[in-house]
Structures are given as structure tokens and as C-alpha cells.
Amino acid sequence: DGGITQSPKYLFRKEGQNVTLSCEQNLNHDAMYWYRQDPGQGLRLIYYSQIVNDFQKGDIAEGYSVSREKKESFPLTVTSAQKNPTAFYLCASSIVVPGHLISSEQFFGPGTRLTVL
Amino acid sequence: QQQVKQSPQSLIVQKGGISIINCAYENTAFDYFPWYQQFPGKGPALLIAIRPDVSEKKEGRFTISFNKSAKQFSLHIMDSQPGDSATYFCAATSNFGNEKLTFGTGTRLTIIP
């Protein structure tokens, strides 16, 4: 059963702590993405990766870091530098069409809701 | 910054009615316009998409209308059902869908009996 899994579903963090959100996909997709969703603001791109060992900053990368050591995995670390980390975090993946940057249809995971206490 | 403006923020429609959600964009380089549907506590899923070489695309009860000159596109849900209650996001991208997506702010749709 192919898809994208995110864990944990809910995560609580104390101020000043770094936390890592997991994202795994078995769709054999090359590209992976992290979005942040806040009420009334839609989905904002944090980081994306088109290939293993390479990733690019999105629109709101400050206070976040990622790694892409395996094709299937794209973990996101929310660092203490992120001033307002409470949000719903979504991971997505898509195929890469040869000769183009990123494919259009993105498949999303179920999300992780992060709350800072 | 590239933007996609979406309205209304929330919408209540009676069962059997037509739900209409509108989006407008500024970047004339956008050439692929998908709509995503998101149920509470879930990730979004692609619902329907259109390219600017057509003015309308229909899939079942869902239709996208596209007005290139006005830089606007809209989602119409015919015969709206309670199961359609969800948040809908329009999006846009360029290079025939091969650049990163820019999302609208979302519309929370509620279908009442």
C-alpha cells in the first residue's frame, strides 16, 4: 500500500528545544516537500528536495533544517530559532519529469500537529 | 512575491446547491492551476486541475472555469453533498506544472442538509 507517512501525529515541544518530524514515502518519488499550514494562510513551502543529498529553501525556511540522505526519507527539524513553530506540518512528494524541475501533482501525508508549550 | 488570492474564506451551501470558490492570480507565467481538497486532520489531495489552453474542465460534479484575460479561475461543485464539506485550496505553478506550487489561503466549505 503506497503512500506517505508522517510521525508523530501530535508533537509537543518546550520552548528552546529542537524537534524532528519524520516523513517517509514508498511511492518511489524523487521530489519531496515540507509545508507549514496555519489557519487562514494556506500552505507555505518550507523546504523541498528534488534528489537525494540536495535540497532548496522554500518561502519560510528560517528556523528549520532538513536532510535528504535517502530517497524515501525527508525529515524536518524545527529548531529553537523558529519563533512561532506551533502549526500543522505537511510533507508531500511528487515524481520528477526528466528535463523539468518538479512535477505538478503532489501527494500529501496526513500531517503532524506541533504545539509549543 | 507570487500570490494567488482565494475567496471566500468560508462558505455554507445547502445540500443540492452549487458551491463556487474563486481564485485570482497575478503572475502571467502561471500555466497550471490545480485544486486540492483537504478533510479535517488529513493532508490535501488533488481534486482537479486545468491548463490555460481550455476555458473549462469538468470531472463529475466538479468543474473548473478559467478566464485567462481576467486572470481568474473558479471551482464549481454541482449538487453539493455533505461529504463535500472540506477545505479547498486553489494553486498555481508555471513551466507546465513543473515549478513549485503557490497556494491560495483556502476556503472552508460546509454543506448543510
Short mmCIF file of all heavy atoms in Angstrom, two decimals, chain B residues 49-72:
data_model
loop_
_atom_site.label_atom_id
_atom_site.label_comp_id
_atom_site.label_asym_id
_atom_site.label_seq_id
_atom_site.Cartn_x
_atom_site.Cartn_y
_atom_site.Cartn_z
N ALA B 49 -7.60 19.73 -12.03
CA ALA B 49 -6.63 20.74 -12.45
C ALA B 49 -6.92 21.16 -13.89
O ALA B 49 -7.55 20.42 -14.64
CB ALA B 49 -5.20 20.22 -12.32
N ILE B 50 -6.43 22.35 -14.25
CA ILE B 50 -6.68 22.87 -15.60
C ILE B 50 -5.45 23.59 -16.12
O ILE B 50 -4.66 24.14 -15.33
CB ILE B 50 -7.90 23.83 -15.59
CG1 ILE B 50 -8.42 24.08 -17.01
CG2 ILE B 50 -7.58 25.15 -14.89
CD1 ILE B 50 -9.77 24.79 -17.05
N ARG B 51 -5.27 23.55 -17.41
CA ARG B 51 -4.24 24.34 -18.08
C ARG B 51 -4.94 25.47 -18.84
O ARG B 51 -6.09 25.34 -19.22
CB ARG B 51 -3.43 23.46 -19.02
CG ARG B 51 -2.73 22.33 -18.30
CD ARG B 51 -1.63 21.71 -19.15
NE ARG B 51 -1.07 20.52 -18.52
CZ ARG B 51 -0.15 20.55 -17.55
NH1 ARG B 51 0.28 21.70 -17.10
NH2 ARG B 51 0.32 19.44 -17.05
N PRO B 52 -4.27 26.58 -19.11
CA PRO B 52 -4.92 27.76 -19.66
C PRO B 52 -5.32 27.66 -21.13
O PRO B 52 -5.90 28.60 -21.67
CB PRO B 52 -3.88 28.87 -19.45
CG PRO B 52 -2.59 28.17 -19.37
CD PRO B 52 -2.87 26.84 -18.74
N ASP B 53 -5.05 26.53 -21.76
CA ASP B 53 -5.47 26.41 -23.16
C ASP B 53 -6.93 26.00 -23.30
O ASP B 53 -7.46 25.94 -24.42
CB ASP B 53 -4.55 25.42 -23.91
CG ASP B 53 -4.46 24.09 -23.20
OD1 ASP B 53 -4.84 24.00 -22.01
OD2 ASP B 53 -4.00 23.11 -23.82
N VAL B 54 -7.59 25.74 -22.16
CA VAL B 54 -9.02 25.46 -22.17
C VAL B 54 -9.70 26.39 -21.17
O VAL B 54 -9.09 26.85 -20.22
CB VAL B 54 -9.34 23.99 -21.83
CG1 VAL B 54 -8.75 23.06 -22.87
CG2 VAL B 54 -8.81 23.64 -20.44
N SER B 55 -11.00 26.66 -21.40
CA SER B 55 -11.72 27.57 -20.52
C SER B 55 -12.52 26.84 -19.44
O SER B 55 -12.99 27.46 -18.49
CB SER B 55 -12.66 28.45 -21.33
OG SER B 55 -13.61 27.63 -22.02
N GLU B 56 -12.65 25.53 -19.59
CA GLU B 56 -13.43 24.78 -18.63
C GLU B 56 -13.00 23.32 -18.62
O GLU B 56 -12.65 22.76 -19.65
CB GLU B 56 -14.93 24.87 -18.98
CG GLU B 56 -15.86 24.23 -17.97
CD GLU B 56 -17.31 24.44 -18.32
OE1 GLU B 56 -17.83 25.55 -18.09
OE2 GLU B 56 -17.94 23.49 -18.84
N LYS B 57 -13.01 22.74 -17.42
CA LYS B 57 -12.74 21.31 -17.30
C LYS B 57 -13.71 20.74 -16.29
O LYS B 57 -13.90 21.30 -15.21
CB LYS B 57 -11.31 21.05 -16.86
CG LYS B 57 -10.97 19.57 -16.78
CD LYS B 57 -9.51 19.35 -16.48
CE LYS B 57 -9.17 17.87 -16.44
NZ LYS B 57 -7.73 17.65 -16.16
N LYS B 58 -14.32 19.63 -16.64
CA LYS B 58 -15.34 19.04 -15.78
C LYS B 58 -14.97 17.61 -15.45
O LYS B 58 -14.57 16.84 -16.33
CB LYS B 58 -16.70 19.07 -16.49
CG LYS B 58 -17.86 18.57 -15.67
CD LYS B 58 -19.17 18.73 -16.43
CE LYS B 58 -20.35 18.25 -15.60
NZ LYS B 58 -21.63 18.44 -16.34
N GLU B 59 -15.09 17.26 -14.18
CA GLU B 59 -14.91 15.89 -13.73
C GLU B 59 -16.02 15.58 -12.73
O GLU B 59 -15.98 16.01 -11.57
CB GLU B 59 -13.53 15.69 -13.09
CG GLU B 59 -12.38 15.77 -14.08
CD GLU B 59 -11.03 15.47 -13.47
OE1 GLU B 59 -10.97 15.14 -12.27
OE2 GLU B 59 -10.02 15.58 -14.19
N GLY B 60 -17.02 14.86 -13.20
CA GLY B 60 -18.15 14.54 -12.35
C GLY B 60 -18.89 15.80 -11.95
O GLY B 60 -19.29 16.60 -12.79
N ARG B 61 -19.06 16.01 -10.66
CA ARG B 61 -19.77 17.20 -10.17
C ARG B 61 -18.86 18.42 -10.04
O ARG B 61 -19.32 19.50 -9.69
CB ARG B 61 -20.41 16.88 -8.82
CG ARG B 61 -21.48 15.80 -8.87
CD ARG B 61 -22.15 15.60 -7.52
NE ARG B 61 -21.24 15.06 -6.52
CZ ARG B 61 -20.77 15.75 -5.50
NH1 ARG B 61 -21.10 17.02 -5.32
NH2 ARG B 61 -19.94 15.18 -4.61
N PHE B 62 -17.58 18.25 -10.30
CA PHE B 62 -16.60 19.32 -10.12
C PHE B 62 -16.20 19.92 -11.47
O PHE B 62 -15.85 19.19 -12.39
CB PHE B 62 -15.36 18.80 -9.40
CG PHE B 62 -15.66 18.23 -8.03
CD1 PHE B 62 -15.96 16.89 -7.87
CD2 PHE B 62 -15.64 19.05 -6.92
CE1 PHE B 62 -16.24 16.37 -6.62
CE2 PHE B 62 -15.92 18.54 -5.65
CZ PHE B 62 -16.22 17.20 -5.50
N THR B 63 -16.24 21.25 -11.55
CA THR B 63 -15.89 21.96 -12.77
C THR B 63 -14.97 23.11 -12.43
O THR B 63 -15.21 23.85 -11.48
CB THR B 63 -17.14 22.51 -13.48
OG1 THR B 63 -18.01 21.42 -13.82
CG2 THR B 63 -16.77 23.26 -14.75
N ILE B 64 -13.90 23.25 -13.22
CA ILE B 64 -13.06 24.45 -13.14
C ILE B 64 -13.41 25.33 -14.33
O ILE B 64 -13.40 24.87 -15.47
CB ILE B 64 -11.56 24.13 -13.19
CG1 ILE B 64 -11.14 23.22 -12.05
CG2 ILE B 64 -10.76 25.43 -13.13
CD1 ILE B 64 -9.66 22.85 -12.12
N SER B 65 -13.66 26.60 -14.05
CA SER B 65 -13.81 27.61 -15.10
C SER B 65 -12.60 28.51 -15.08
O SER B 65 -12.15 28.94 -14.00
CB SER B 65 -15.10 28.43 -14.88
OG SER B 65 -16.23 27.61 -14.96
N PHE B 66 -12.06 28.81 -16.25
CA PHE B 66 -10.81 29.57 -16.33
C PHE B 66 -10.99 30.77 -17.25
O PHE B 66 -11.46 30.63 -18.38
CB PHE B 66 -9.69 28.66 -16.83
CG PHE B 66 -8.34 29.31 -16.83
CD1 PHE B 66 -7.60 29.39 -15.66
CD2 PHE B 66 -7.81 29.84 -17.99
CE1 PHE B 66 -6.36 30.00 -15.65
CE2 PHE B 66 -6.57 30.46 -17.98
CZ PHE B 66 -5.85 30.53 -16.82
N ASN B 67 -10.63 31.96 -16.78
CA ASN B 67 -10.69 33.19 -17.57
C ASN B 67 -9.29 33.77 -17.64
O ASN B 67 -8.83 34.45 -16.72
CB ASN B 67 -11.67 34.18 -16.92
CG ASN B 67 -11.88 35.42 -17.78
OD1 ASN B 67 -11.00 35.85 -18.52
ND2 ASN B 67 -13.06 35.99 -17.68
N LYS B 68 -8.61 33.49 -18.74
CA LYS B 68 -7.22 33.89 -18.87
C LYS B 68 -7.05 35.41 -18.89
O LYS B 68 -6.13 35.95 -18.28
CB LYS B 68 -6.61 33.28 -20.13
CG LYS B 68 -5.12 33.46 -20.27
CD LYS B 68 -4.58 32.70 -21.46
CE LYS B 68 -3.07 32.83 -21.57
NZ LYS B 68 -2.53 32.04 -22.71
N SER B 69 -7.93 36.12 -19.58
CA SER B 69 -7.79 37.57 -19.69
C SER B 69 -7.99 38.25 -18.34
O SER B 69 -7.34 39.26 -18.04
CB SER B 69 -8.78 38.12 -20.71
OG SER B 69 -10.12 37.85 -20.30
N ALA B 70 -8.86 37.70 -17.52
CA ALA B 70 -9.12 38.27 -16.20
C ALA B 70 -8.17 37.71 -15.15
O ALA B 70 -8.17 38.19 -14.00
CB ALA B 70 -10.56 38.02 -15.78
N LYS B 71 -7.40 36.71 -15.51
CA LYS B 71 -6.50 36.01 -14.59
C LYS B 71 -7.27 35.49 -13.38
O LYS B 71 -6.90 35.75 -12.22
CB LYS B 71 -5.34 36.91 -14.19
CG LYS B 71 -4.39 37.20 -15.36
CD LYS B 71 -3.16 37.97 -14.92
CE LYS B 71 -3.51 39.41 -14.65
NZ LYS B 71 -2.32 40.24 -14.36
N GLN B 72 -8.35 34.80 -13.67
CA GLN B 72 -9.20 34.25 -12.61
C GLN B 72 -9.60 32.82 -12.97
O GLN B 72 -9.72 32.47 -14.15
CB GLN B 72 -10.46 35.11 -12.44
CG GLN B 72 -10.20 36.51 -11.96
CD GLN B 72 -11.46 37.37 -11.91
OE1 GLN B 72 -12.50 37.01 -12.45
NE2 GLN B 72 -11.37 38.50 -11.22
#
